[in-house]
Amino acid sequence: IARGLTAGGLPVWALPAITSILSYAISFATGSSFGTIGILFPLIGPLAWTLSGGDLKVLTHCFGAVYGGSLFGNMFSPIADTSILTVLATRCELQAHVTTAAPYACLTGLLCLLLGDIPIGLGLIGPFAAMGLVTVAQTAFLSIFGQKPGAAATAKA
């Protein structure tokens, strides 16, 4: 697989972002973070090692992308154990839980791709700077566009 991707011109800097996107999709489809880790680790590890020429930073970032991305779908997939337990514990509808959690998970996933995976892959910033950027961007976004709890119920009354 690595030879084919290298011959096809897959840039090494894009591998962490592609890994995150794959993790997002698999974790949402399976509803399992551990299942996603089990599927992707044996595939991404050798691929990242080969494509990067043995660069430990690329390998570490790809492993981080697997871990982070695997939690994405586990947070709001309708078949995830956490979603089912949340619905049972709160007695809310499954659809309500999924539609409530999805915007937060998607916002975080998008910010991690744009401000984390891509800039780190390009070597523009380090992981701690990316974590700070994502935290500041998410806080700013929610401060500007978010609603306070109970504000929607008060507005309807």
Side-chain angles (χ1 to χ4, degrees):
I1 294 175
R3 280 191 208 136
L5 292 173
T6 307
L10 176 69
V12 175
W13 65 265
L15 190 58
I18 292 169
T19 301
S20 285
I21 293 168
L22 279 173
S23 295
Y24 294 168
I26 293 171
S27 66
F28 182 78
T30 63
S32 171
S33 57
F34 282 109
T36 303
I37 292 167
I39 291 168
L40 287 180
F41 254 81
L43 300 172
I44 296 300
L47 179 64
W49 188 257
T50 303
L51 285 179
S52 69
D55 187 353
L56 193 58
K57 285 184 179 182
V58 173
L59 180 68
T60 304
H61 186 60
C62 286
F63 282 169
V66 170
Y67 278 125
S70 67
L71 294 174
F72 173 82
N74 194 39
M75 297 308 295
F76 73 101
S77 174
I79 59 173
D81 56 351
T82 52
S83 294
I84 294 168
L85 288 173
T86 300
V87 167
L88 292 173
T90 61
R91 296 187 179 154
C92 73
E93 295 291 324
L94 179 62
Q95 185 64 35
H97 167 68
V98 170
T99 56
T100 302
Y104 295 103
C106 291
L107 172 65
T108 303
L110 182 65
L111 290 174
C112 287
L113 273 173
L114 297 177
L115 301 176
D117 292 323
I118 294 173
I120 291 172
L122 290 169
L124 300 175
I125 59 175
F128 290 109
M131 191 166 43
L133 279 174
V134 169
T135 301
V136 168
Q138 184 170 351
T139 302
F141 186 88
L142 292 175
S143 295
I144 294 168
F145 298 107
Q147 290 183 353
K148 294 186 183 212
T154 306
K156 290 181 182 177

